[in-house]
Amino acid sequence: MNINQRKAGVILAYLSIIVSALVNIINVPLFLHFIGVSEYGIYQTIGSLIAYFSVLDFGLPSTIIVFYSRYKTSGDKKNMENILAICSRIYVAITIAILVVGVSLYFSLDSLYVNSLSKSQLLNAKQVYIVFLINVACSLPFQILNAILTAYERFVFLRGTVIFLTIFQALVMVPVVLKFPSALSIVIVQTIFNIIMVAARYFYCFKILKVKVKLHFFDKNLFKSILKYSLFIFLNVIADQLFWHSNKVILSIFSSPESVAAYSIVFQIAYYYMILSTAITGVFLPKITSMVSEGSSNKAFSEMFLKVGRIQFILLSCVLTGFILFGKQFIYLWSLGKTGFECSYLMTLMIIIPLTLDLIQGLAQTILQAVNKFYFRATMFLLIDALNIIIVIPIAKLYGGVGCALVTGLNYLTFIIILNIFYVKSLKLNINSFWQQILKISIPTLCAFLIGTSLNKIKITNSVLEISIKILLYLIIYTAIAWLCVMNTYEKELLKKPLAKIKNTLSSIYKKL
């Protein structure tokens, strides 16, 4: 049962990503059309501000999974109940602290957005803020439920509820936005569905799994271990939030809601671009951990690093070059041609080009975790984020979102250079060989891009059909060139296996018919 749960969990995780992306693609033009750019900007502004509260779980879910699973494996029910009780109390304390800070911040919104929001917009923003804060307060203490479900490997229920409620929420959102076109309506619907999800997980944990939460004794050593284990996970989460949300918060203070709305497009594209890469590296942690335990050589790590990096580059360069070719038209259609989104294309490129350089080296993050050196990346990421905020504030006043994106992209490039030095000095990875290989295989990629430029000559009355045909043709061109000029035997086999399974499945269905 556990093995089936894991396999189904992986499939459902990818399905969840696809469903979330599709819903998001539909929602953005829906919201822009019915509630307007300004209202959508307010929604993104307050959402980015509240996002900082949502990360204040101090990495507890991952910590609970590790310790709870350990006690569960040994059959230590007393400590299973005890750690849940201790962490529940920590969550309650965190939630109370967040509510105190959140209420205090509420009374500061007038001064915070005095230069960027009108009086009516500010009133609307305050209402949205209250509902968002309620959403966080209702969901944060129950993050423990996610950890329990993961520890019990109930991935089908965990992922399945997310997919079902995401689809159902999208269906409900349409008539609600049609009837009540406002950012407040969107946030209320999201909060209601979030509460429904919490209730479903609560019922499953305590009624189906019969989980018990009981404080038998306060274990000081366990408490210290929890805090120690959570620290660097928390630092990395904080750094991640600062990187993705600080520019929107700064723009919301020194610019207009429209500029925040335009920048939010950048964030959403970059987010799904990043998921494409991390979905590959995420499955390598057990393998890398085994290599560390077996005392594998630096050469073995470098070979694995290059093998995975090549695969990521082949995938991401297809998306990146495709976006360079058709991204401007895609954003125009996605934003319904609304004024103010013209710069989103340029800002997206400023972010995802340096991001690509880091993502193709994603396995190095996994190696850092396996050898317990992840603290360096987390610490450096925080420092770069702090530097970014200091520089972006005056830039946002002068050059708006484009200036913010350029500064962030350059700072991220600096971060990548520092990481590469660390990979050489500490992990002993052969970085020179890695970049030589990437440069070598980028030449055929560039040829595919140059051929793809001719596709923009295609003009069809239906714009959606036009861009769909362009993307499909470019995918065919890129795949053909990659197959003939880039991919080695190992990479071709990776592609052949799923294609063979699809072919066999279709053949089987055809025979039955």
Side-chain angles (χ1 to χ4, degrees):
M1 179 180 173
N2 288 339
I3 294 175
N4 291 336
Q5 281 279 337
R6 293 191 194 106
K7 288 182 178 180
V10 171
I11 294 170
L12 289 173
Y14 280 102
L15 183 59
S16 177
I17 292 170
I18 294 169
V19 168
S20 176
L22 290 174
V23 167
N24 198 40
I25 288 172
I26 295 169
N27 277 348
V28 170
L30 178 74
F31 295 161
L32 288 173
H33 179 72
F34 288 105
I35 72 174
V37 177
S38 177
E39 191 81 4
Y40 182 70
I42 291 172
Y43 166 73
Q44 288 290 338
T45 295
I46 303 302
S48 297
L49 189 63
I50 290 291
Y52 290 110
F53 291 133
S54 63
V55 303
L56 295 179
D57 59 9
F58 295 92
L60 279 177
S62 299
T63 308
I64 294 169
I65 292 168
V66 171
F67 285 92
Y68 192 80
S69 298
R70 188 182 299 168
Y71 295 136
K72 181 174 172 289
T73 302
S74 62
D76 190 347
K77 292 185 178 181
K78 188 175 181 180
N79 269 315
M80 286 168 65
E81 296 172 2
N82 208 46
I83 189 172
L84 292 181
I86 292 173
C87 289
S88 295
R89 283 159 174 76
I90 295 173
Y91 268 124
V92 169
I94 292 172
T95 303
I96 292 172
I98 285 175
L99 286 174
V100 171
V101 174
V103 171
S104 301
L105 184 58
Y106 172 82
F107 292 105
S108 302
L109 292 178
D110 291 277
S111 56
L112 192 62
Y113 297 118
V114 65
N115 296 319
S116 57
L117 299 179
S118 65
K119 288 185 177 180
S120 60
Q121 288 176 330
L122 189 57
L123 179 62
N124 192 9
K126 284 184 173 182
Q127 294 173 337
V128 172
Y129 179 88
I130 291 172
V131 180
F132 259 132
L133 189 62
I134 293 171
N135 194 342
V136 173
C138 289
S139 59
L140 188 62
F142 297 100
Q143 288 294 316
I144 194 170
L145 301 175
N146 299 351
I148 293 169
L149 290 168
T150 303
Y152 276 94
E153 297 187 343
R154 293 301 192 269
F155 301 118
V156 172
F157 177 80
L158 188 62
R159 305 294 184 189
T161 51
V162 171
I163 294 169
F164 174 76
L165 289 175
T166 299
I167 295 171
F168 191 41
Q169 177 179 297
L171 295 174
V172 171
M173 190 72 77
V174 174
V176 170
V177 172
L178 287 173
K179 183 70 175 177
F180 307 101
S182 68
L184 183 61
S185 300
I186 296 171
V187 180
I188 289 174
V189 171
Q190 291 174 338
T191 301
I192 290 171
F193 274 89
N194 199 29
I195 292 171
I196 292 171
M197 186 176 293
V198 167
R201 290 174 178 176
Y202 185 91
F203 177 83
Y204 194 94
C205 286
F206 292 99
K207 299 298 181 181
I208 306 299
L209 297 179
K210 306 294 184 184
V211 170
K212 292 183 179 180
V213 179
K214 184 178 180 181
L215 184 64
H216 295 278
F217 58 95
F218 186 77
D219 191 334
K220 290 183 179 179
N221 292 328
L222 175 61
F223 183 72
K224 290 178 181 178
S225 297
I226 290 171
L227 295 181
K228 184 179 179 181
Y229 190 89
S230 301
L231 177 61
F232 288 111
I233 297 174
F234 175 62
L235 286 178
N236 190 65
V237 171
I238 286 291
D240 198 50
Q241 285 294 316
L242 285 171
F243 178 76
W244 290 112
H245 293 285
S246 59
N247 282 3
K248 286 197 289 181
V249 172
I250 291 168
L251 282 171
S252 70
I253 296 172
F254 298 107
S255 191
S256 63
E258 289 79 5
S259 65
V260 177
Y263 198 89
S264 70
I265 294 288
V266 179
F267 162 73
Q268 291 174 70
I269 293 173
Y271 173 75
Y272 287 108
Y273 183 69
M274 184 173 61
I275 285 178
L276 283 175
S277 176
T278 54
I280 297 173
T281 53
V283 300
F284 279 92
L285 183 56
K287 172 67 176 177
I288 296 300
T289 304
S290 298
M291 290 174 68
V292 172
S293 302
E294 294 166 1
S296 297
S297 64
N298 293 327
K299 183 180 178 182
F301 282 114
S302 293
E303 289 174 353
M304 178 68 73
F305 179 60
L306 176 58
K307 182 186 291 186
V308 177
R310 279 178 57 95
I311 296 169
Q312 289 176 307
F313 180 78
I314 292 169
L315 173 64
L316 293 181
S317 61
C318 176
V319 179
L320 177 59
T321 54
F323 183 79
I324 293 172
L325 290 171
F326 318 119
K328 187 178 291 186
Q329 184 180 0
F330 171 77
I331 290 177
Y332 179 81
L333 292 173
W334 197 25
S335 63
L336 301 178
K338 296 284 186 180
T339 304
F341 288 85
E342 299 87 356
C343 59
S344 294
Y345 170 73
L346 181 60
M347 291 192 293
T348 303
L349 288 178
M350 289 175 178
I351 296 295
I352 66 173
I353 289 175
L355 181 62
T356 303
L357 302 179
D358 185 36
L359 292 176
I360 62 176
Q361 293 187 316
L363 193 69
Q365 295 185 45
T366 307
I367 297 173
L368 288 174
Q369 292 178 50
V371 299
N372 199 25
K373 292 184 178 180
F374 196 71
Y375 63 87
F376 179 82
R377 179 184 172 86
T379 305
M380 285 307 307
F381 205 4
L382 270 176
L383 291 175
I384 290 295
D385 281 334
L387 176 65
N388 188 70
I389 291 171
I390 292 170
I391 300 175
V392 159
I393 289 175
I395 293 295
K397 297 177 182 179
L398 297 172
Y399 303 106
V402 175
C404 291
L406 179 60
V407 170
T408 300
L410 292 174
N411 281 332
Y412 200 73
L413 187 60
T414 303
F415 174 59
I416 294 165
I417 294 170
I418 294 170
L419 282 181
N420 273 255
I421 295 171
F422 184 76
Y423 295 157
V424 173
K425 299 292 184 181
S426 184
L427 299 183
K428 307 299 181 184
L429 295 176
N430 193 340
I431 296 298
N432 287 336
S433 177
F434 175 86
W435 286 116
Q436 287 171 6
Q437 279 287 316
I438 294 300
L439 183 61
K440 182 180 178 181
I441 65 176
S442 66
I443 295 173
T445 299
L446 181 59
C447 292
F449 171 76
L450 293 174
I451 295 171
T453 56
S454 62
L455 295 175
N456 275 322
K457 295 178 182 178
I458 297 174
K459 298 296 178 184
I460 300 175
T461 306
N462 188 315
S463 299
V464 175
L465 180 61
E466 177 186 314
I467 194 171
S468 299
I469 291 173
K470 288 179 180 179
I471 291 172
L472 179 60
L473 290 175
Y474 183 68
L475 185 61
I476 293 170
I477 292 168
Y478 183 93
T479 304
I481 291 177
W483 183 272
L484 295 171
C485 307
V486 177
M487 298 172 73
N488 55 34
T489 304
Y490 172 74
E491 291 156 358
K492 287 180 180 179
E493 285 299 318
L494 286 178
L495 189 59
K496 282 180 181 178
K497 287 179 180 178
L499 289 176
K501 287 182 179 179
I502 293 171
K503 181 182 177 182
N504 292 334
T505 302
L506 292 175
S507 177
S508 177
I509 293 172
Y510 178 76
K511 288 178 180 179
K512 289 180 180 179
L513 293 175

